[in-house]
């Protein structure tokens, strides 16, 4: 179990901060107030460039996202500001109504949030709410039109504020947390290019229009993770639950609906690219678009094949380790003289 935890930390690049100082957990109320009064993000829409998330907060968000299955879930993050970095020290879930495509925070969730933060302050935990997180089961880490509106509202009234998206299905398939962190641009700001376009990612065909329509209204931040001596015990307790859940499940069976949707989506993309190739000249604009779509389809197919291979290998390893453990005789239980 300890080896599995170390592997998870390596896969997600969880870095140990100074074990003697635990500097990232030190909260200076006056310093945070001075930063809040200065508001450097008001003059520079790209002021925040990095997010550092504690291993405990990351694991809590992933477990919450996985518990929702195909339904989107939502929660809040607590932390502080340090220069151009938002530091997330903890996270907690919210009682919200979610569907497969959106999540809505009602009055009950708002009351819960206020009560929770007040209880934290009464216990000496002074960190402010620095962002919200929600899940995108099976369709990647980006902001939809509703997400953009929600984040823009939060930045208007609660800035500095951050939006984090986790894909639990892709996390299970890849074995590494699929996560993205974003902030929206002001309404009067026109970026020179789309800050959210950080390279290739698989977007389902049904979501491409929503993805493209709003991708220029926000940008992504660099995400890194940390741990310290303060959260070691909590991390171990959380990991015991996470590891048992992971060990008892097979990615191929747990994610079979997601895998089927991926295959159907891939076939639709291939048909679309094939149609464009058949009805366009090789050197025309539409021909180049067809080549780009076909290239993305090839990347998607390689990604799906890699995830399926990872699931098969994981299943084989578990079978070799655990199958037949209960078949052998227990020597210590054998009566003497028999």
């Amino acid at each position: 179990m300890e080896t599995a935890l170390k592997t998870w930390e390596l896969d997600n690049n969880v870095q140990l901060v100074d074990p003697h100082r635990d500097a990232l957990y030190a909260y200076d109320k006056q310093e945070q107030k001075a930063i809040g009064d200065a508001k450097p993000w008001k003059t520079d829409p790209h002021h925040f460039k990095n997010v550092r998330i504690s291993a405990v907060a990351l694991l809590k968000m992933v477990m919450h996202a996985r518990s929702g299955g195909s339904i989107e879930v939502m929660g809040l993050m607590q932390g502080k500001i340090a220069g151009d970095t938002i530091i997330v020290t903890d996270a907690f879930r919210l009682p919200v109504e979610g569907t497969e495509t959106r999540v809505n925070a009602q009055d009950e969730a708002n009351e819960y949030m206020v009560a929770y933060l007040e209880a934290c302050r009464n216990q000496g935990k002074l960190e402010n709410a620095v962002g919200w997180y929600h899940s995108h089961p099976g369709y990647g880490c980006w902001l939809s039109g509703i997400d953009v509106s929600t984040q823009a509202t939060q930045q208007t009234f609660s800035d500095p504020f951050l939006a984090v998206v986790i894909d639990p299905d892709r996390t299970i398939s890849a074995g590494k947390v699929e996560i993205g962190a974003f902030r929206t641009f002001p309404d009067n700001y026109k970026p020179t290019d789309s800050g959210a376009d950080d390279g290739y990612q698989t977007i389902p065909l049904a979501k491409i229009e929503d993805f493209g329509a709003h991708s220029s209204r926000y940008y992504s931040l660099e995400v890194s993770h940390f741990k310290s001596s303060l959260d070691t015990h909590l991390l171990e307790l959380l990991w015991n639950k996470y590891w048992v859940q992971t060990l008892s499940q097979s990615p191929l069976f747990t994610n079979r609906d997601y895998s089927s949707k991926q295959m159907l989506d891939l076939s639709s993309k291939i048909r679309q690219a094939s149609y464009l190739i058949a009805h366009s000249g090789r050197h025309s604009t539409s021909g180049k678009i067809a080549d780009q779509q076909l290239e993305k389809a090839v990347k998607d197919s390689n990604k799906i094949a890699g995830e399926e291979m990872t699931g098969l290998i994981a299943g084989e390893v578990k079978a070799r380790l655990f199958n037949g453990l209960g078949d052998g005789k227990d020597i210590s239980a054998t009566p003497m003289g028999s």
Side-chain angles (χ1 to χ4, degrees), residues 5-17:
L5 175 57
K6 297 294 184 185
T7 302
W8 182 82
E9 290 177 351
L10 287 173
D11 287 343
N12 293 285
N13 195 28
V14 177
Q15 300 176 354
L16 178 67
V17 297

Side-chain angles (χ1 to χ4, degrees), residues 108-175:
E108 180 186 356
N110 294 328
E111 292 172 4
Y112 178 88
M113 175 183 65
V114 172
Y116 185 94
L117 292 174
E118 184 178 352
C120 287
R121 293 190 179 96
N122 291 338
Q123 295 297 320
K125 188 176 180 180
L126 303 178
E127 290 88 351
N128 293 316
V130 294
W132 66 297
Y133 71 88
H134 71 289
S135 60
H136 274 187
Y139 49 94
C141 298
W142 47 279
L143 297 185
S144 67
I146 295 174
D147 298 337
V148 169
S149 298
T150 301
Q151 176 61 19
T153 300
Q154 293 293 346
Q155 287 184 211
T156 300
F157 297 104
S158 305
D159 224 13
F161 218 73
L162 170 74
V164 164
V165 182
I166 293 176
D167 187 333
D169 290 348
R170 296 186 182 185
T171 295
I172 294 173
S173 293

Side-chain angles (χ1 to χ4, degrees), residues 15-36:
Q15 300 176 354
L16 178 67
V17 297
D18 189 339
H20 301 294
R21 293 179 58 225
D22 293 318
L24 293 181
Y25 282 93
Y27 186 87
D28 188 328
K29 188 175 181 179
Q30 296 300 322
E31 178 189 39
Q32 293 302 303
K33 185 179 184 304
I35 294 174

Side-chain angles (χ1 to χ4, degrees), residues 136-254:
H136 274 187
Y139 49 94
C141 298
W142 47 279
L143 297 185
S144 67
I146 295 174
D147 298 337
V148 169
S149 298
T150 301
Q151 176 61 19
T153 300
Q154 293 293 346
Q155 287 184 211
T156 300
F157 297 104
S158 305
D159 224 13
F161 218 73
L162 170 74
V164 164
V165 182
I166 293 176
D167 187 333
D169 290 348
R170 296 186 182 185
T171 295
I172 294 173
S173 293
K176 178 180 181 294
V177 178
E178 186 84 5
I179 187 171
F182 312 96
R183 276 179 59 84
T184 55
F185 294 119
D187 290 337
N188 58 353
Y189 179 79
K190 301 296 181 184
T192 55
D193 57 1
S194 172
D197 187 13
D198 291 331
Y200 166 79
Q201 64 170 314
T202 303
I203 306 295
L205 199 59
K207 300 287 185 179
I208 285 179
E209 184 176 352
D210 193 20
F211 171 77
H214 307 283
S215 60
S216 63
R217 296 180 58 190
Y218 63 92
Y219 72 99
S220 61
L221 289 76
E222 187 71 26
V223 180
S224 61
H225 310 293
F226 70 92
K227 68 172 184 175
S228 75
S229 59
L230 287 178
D231 56 19
T232 299
H233 183 58
L234 279 175
L235 187 60
E236 289 175 353
L237 292 176
L238 283 170
W239 182 257
N240 289 341
K241 182 178 179 180
Y242 181 82
W243 172 241
V244 170
Q245 184 183 31
T246 302
L247 191 63
S248 63
Q249 296 174 341
S250 166
L252 297 180
F253 289 104
T254 304

